[in-house]
Every structure is written in C-alpha cells, then in structure tokens.
Amino acid sequence: MTSYPVPDASGFVKLDAMENPFALPPDLAAKLGEHLAGVALNRYPAPRPDALIDKIKRTMGVPPDCDVLLGNGSDEIISMITVACAKPGAKVLAPEPGFVMYAMSAKFAHVGFVGVPLRADFTLDADAMLAAIAEHEPAVIWLAYPNNPTGTLFDDGAIERIIAAASKSLVVIDEAYQPFAQHSWMPRAGEFDNVVVMRTVSKLGLAGIRLGYLAGRPTWLNEFDKVRPPYNINVLTQAAATFLLDHVDVLDAQAAQLRVERGKLAAEVAALPGAQVFDSAGNFLLVRVPDASAVFETLLSARVLIKNVSKMHPLLANCVRLTVGAPDENARLVAALKLVLN
Ligand SMILES: *Cc1c(COP(=O)(O)O)cnc(C)c1O
C-alpha cells in the first residue's frame, strides 16, 4: 500500500483538502492567544474534558440521551471504531466512491472492507446496500452525509431502509460537511439502537487543531472509549475549541459565505465547455472534465492545487474535486480552468 498522500502546497492556491480559506478575525485571534497563554503545558490533559464535551453538546444540538466521545480528528474516531470491532472475520461496509479512511482503517486493523457502488449519478443504491448487508453482516456501515468526494446528500428514506435492515450493524453517519449541508441526523442520534453521528470541526475552519466528535448512546461510546489512546485531545486543542465554540457564529458566518461561493463557482464552472458539475452539499465540487490529468497539470502550472480523483473509482472517471475557496482563489481557479477547457 501507499501512505496517505499530502502534497506540499507552499506557494499554491490550496483547493485540494476542503479547508475553510478564511482566517479568524484579528481581535478574536488575539483573545484566543491570551486564552492559550494560560494553559498549563506541563500537565497532561484531564482524563475527561467535561467542559469541552458539555459545550459541544450544547452548541451542536446533541440530544440529551446521547454522550460525546472526542477524537484527534474524526480520522481517529474512524480508527477507534474499526479497531473496536476488529475480531477475526469482521467486516465494515461503505458506499463507493467514498471517504478513503474507512477502507484504510479497515486495512490497518485486518478488518474486511466491502464497498458497494453508488449509482452512476452518485445516489445511494439502497437495494444493493441491503443485499450486501444481508450477505456480509458488517459490524459497521459508514455513510458520509454528504458524501466525499461526490458531494451527494444521500436520500433520508434510503438511509432509513439501511438502518432498519442493519440490525446486526452499527450505522455511523459521518457529518464532516454538516456546516455546508444544513441537513443533519444529529437530532436523531439517540433514536435508534444502531446509529451514531460523527462530526469534526475541520471543515468548519479548525482543521489544524484536530478535533472530531462522536454522538450516540453511551452503551456504544463506552465500548469505543476502551480503545481510545489516553490523552488523545491535547490541552491546546481543548482550550482552543472551548474558547472558539463560544464564537461559533463567526465560523458559521464563514460557512454561509462559502455556501454562496459554492453556488457561484458551480455556475461558472458549469458554463465552461465540457465541464459537468455535480450537485454538492459540501464545500467542494465534483466536476467531470474531458481530460482530468490535463486539467490537474494545467492548474498545477498555474499554481492552483486541486484533487484529481479520476483514478479512485471507475465511477469517477475524468473527475476532479475542487474545494470552494475565497472569492479571489475561486477566480484564479476559474481563470486557470479556462486555459485548459476553452
Ligand atoms: C475530512 C473528512 C473527515 C475527517 O476529518 P478530520 O479532519 O479527521 O476530522 C471525515 N469524514 C469525511 C467524509 C471527510 O471528508
């Protein structure tokens, strides 16, 4: 296998990793700095960061009957869930194309991975999912809502059918892009005995602090907590998140601006010859072009970094994924796309 590739982006317009392009307002950043200066760096983190967990519950609308488990990014939560179910013969299942860490974590833990192809329009093939669930009895079913790299917000009715059929599985609804989707299963996180909801602050604008969270019934979370590395959330991350959740309106406003930019960028790219833009509920667009390698290379020469996903899965043939950036970044992206598509 190969390691997860993260290209060096210095000097580039970085539109490959779904980051929020906006910085914190300077006065807020200065206050955060003061707050972080008071953190005891000489001490290990507290065994359970209750203040942060309570604030996440309140700010993010976690239902009262649910608990919250924290991860060093939701990538670590994916890993913990996979490890927790990794008895011999165990399998996990996810629609394909989907988020690569589900399959990678399975591989690391010697867990079988079952990928169920989406339909050609990237909607969920519920019948195929149900057949695969019956055949493989997976321990875990991953559903990214919306999906990466397609941007699709899967149909709620199809998800309900999967939950009902998956009586021997845990269904994890991965809401990494919730700030851009404005649809959520969080209010229903405690409703089923086989559903948990996973989120992250990464795409909201805090990718650098590495903080993900899982909401669900305590009976599930207590099991995953057993394989959580001690001290997995460092004191600076805890302090930064605790402080910034009191100012989450700032990040929400940035997300709202990016949703507007997403609409503008989609219209501009769709107007270019040969470009097919798929509907996206994330802060990125999946675009089919005549030649994905030519588009990637031309953008690279123009110092714009995007992701060529065309080799990830046959359904993604000649597709690239564009992160929605700030207005000036999107303008550079469109200008560079014109060089190759016109
Ligand atoms: C980005 C992403 C994550 C991981 O985010 P973290 O930065 O590790 O919190 C999880 N799921 C999906 C679908 C993603 O795109």
Side-chain angles (χ1 to χ4, degrees):
M1 62 186 299
T2 53
S3 47
Y4 189 88
V6 179
D8 179 11
S10 31
F12 280 80
V13 173
K14 192 170 185 310
L15 300 175
D16 66 331
M18 280 79 89
E19 291 147 323
N20 173 341
F22 303 119
L24 292 176
D27 54 332
L28 188 59
K31 282 191 194 126
L32 172 64
E34 277 171 38
H35 184 71
L36 294 182
V39 173
L41 300 181
N42 54 322
R43 299 294 176 192
Y44 280 107
R48 189 188 144 93
D50 285 313
L52 175 55
I53 287 174
D54 288 346
K55 206 168 270 184
I56 288 174
K57 284 185 181 169
R58 266 183 285 121
T59 319
M60 299 302 176
V62 177
D65 53 345
C66 289
D67 208 346
V68 163
L69 179 76
L70 303 181
N72 191 319
S74 43
D75 281 353
E76 190 185 53
I77 298 176
I78 295 169
S79 163
M80 289 192 281
I81 292 175
T82 309
V83 166
C85 76
K87 64 180 183 185
K91 295 176 188 173
V92 300
L93 181 148
E96 271 187 331
F99 186 48
V100 290
M101 291 312 293
Y102 308 146
M104 270 185 91
S105 284
K107 200 169 208 175
F108 297 160
H110 293 281
V111 165
F113 179 81
V114 181
V116 180
L118 295 169
R119 297 200 192 95
D121 63 358
F122 303 127
T123 56
L124 210 46
D125 187 341
D127 292 333
M129 290 287 288
L130 262 51
I133 290 165
E135 183 187 342
H136 297 283
E137 297 189 347
V140 176
I141 298 166
W142 301 104
L143 293 175
Y145 185 84
N147 190 39
N148 169 15
T150 62
T152 329
L153 198 64
F154 295 142
D155 177 65
D156 286 336
I159 295 179
E160 279 166 1
R161 280 183 66 200
I162 289 166
I163 292 170
S167 55
K168 293 181 179 164
S169 316
L170 176 67
V171 178
V172 184
I173 300 182
D174 178 352
E175 296 193 344
Y177 298 96
Q178 182 273 333
F180 312 99
Q182 297 181 290
H183 287 268
S184 176
W185 278 72
M186 186 61 87
R188 304 180 70 181
E191 182 179 328
F192 307 91
D193 61 13
N194 63 336
V195 174
V196 292
V197 174
M198 185 172 73
R199 292 225 192 126
T200 172
V201 298
S202 292
K203 278 62 185 216
L204 185 61
L206 303 174
I209 72 172
R210 311 305 298 128
L211 181 68
Y213 56 99
L214 185 71
R217 292 189 179 180
T219 41
W220 282 112
L221 269 48
N222 291 342
E223 297 306 307
F224 302 135
D225 197 48
K226 294 174 184 174
V227 296
R228 180 180 58 80
Y231 314 122
N232 63 328
I233 312 298
N234 74 75
V235 289
L236 290 173
T237 294
Q238 287 186 29
T242 308
F243 176 86
L244 288 170
L245 284 175
D246 287 336
H247 305 276
V248 77
D249 54 311
V250 173
L251 301 174
D252 286 341
Q254 294 177 343
Q257 190 182 344
L258 288 169
R259 293 196 299 269
V260 174
E261 290 301 323
R262 174 181 68 199
K264 288 189 202 163
L265 183 64
E268 288 182 72
V269 175
L272 300 175
Q276 180 190 7
V277 180
F278 294 93
D279 279 344
S280 172
N283 59 342
F284 59 91
L285 297 173
L286 185 76
V287 183
R288 178 160 285 133
V289 292
D291 182 346
S293 309
V295 165
F296 180 81
E297 292 301 332
T298 305
L299 296 196
L300 208 60
S301 312
R303 320 256 341 132
V304 177
L305 192 61
I306 61 159
K307 182 103 173 166
N308 180 359
V309 295
S310 60
K311 300 286 186 290
M312 264 181 67
H313 192 273
L315 285 170
L316 294 175
N318 273 324
C319 286
V320 294
R321 192 189 61 197
L322 317 173
T323 302
V324 178
D328 59 318
E329 296 176 320
N330 298 336
R332 270 185 67 181
L333 169 66
V334 172
L337 280 172
K338 281 182 179 159
L339 296 176
V340 54
L341 290 178
N342 273 343

